Amino acid sequence: MSEQITCPQCEGRTWEWFGPLRFACGFCLGRGAVGGSDDPQDTPKPPPTEPPPVWEDRRWADPRFAGICRYCLGSGKVSHLDTATRTLVTVACRCAGERESA
């Protein structure tokens, strides 16, 4: 542990400008100070044992993406690299047939 000091990056403001955008300071993580007993560098969070499955990603719960096909992402085509023939194969996605019949 070390004593708490004002963040040298943001000078205690807790934020930084990046062009017209305002972000939390990346050095002090928006706290305005570094060091002390609760410093994130002193108590790192353990990494997850394995990443979560893709279908549990929180972005799929967003209503804007709920109606998009997860295979082709709305393009109607799926590409696959055939390693045996070393060619890129593109086929119509199964959602393209559903859209035409609806």
Side-chain angles (χ1 to χ4, degrees):
M1 284 194 296
S2 59
E3 65 180 69
Q4 190 168 353
I5 61 170
T6 303
C7 175
Q9 185 76 25
C10 68
E11 299 173 348
R13 286 188 311 266
T14 70
W15 51 268
E16 296 177 292
W17 287 108
F18 186 73
L21 304 174
R22 182 174 157 173
F23 289 104
C25 176
F27 190 76
C28 67
L29 305 177
R31 294 179 356 169
V34 292
S37 60
D38 61 341
D39 189 16
Q41 300 298 333
D42 291 341
T43 56
K45 206 190 301 186
T49 55
E50 60 184 44
V54 173
W55 57 86
E56 290 181 4
D57 192 299
R58 62 182 169 81
R59 287 171 281 213
W60 291 114
D62 189 331
R64 294 176 293 178
F65 297 112
I68 296 177
C69 175
R70 296 182 187 189
Y71 293 109
C72 67
L73 300 177
S75 70
K77 298 177 183 174
V78 179
S79 296
H80 167 71
L81 180 63
D82 188 353
T83 55
T85 60
R86 299 183 67 182
T87 57
L88 184 65
V89 179
T90 303
V91 296
C93 183
R94 64 182 184 183
C95 73
E98 294 171 2
R99 274 189 263 149
E100 291 174 3
S101 63

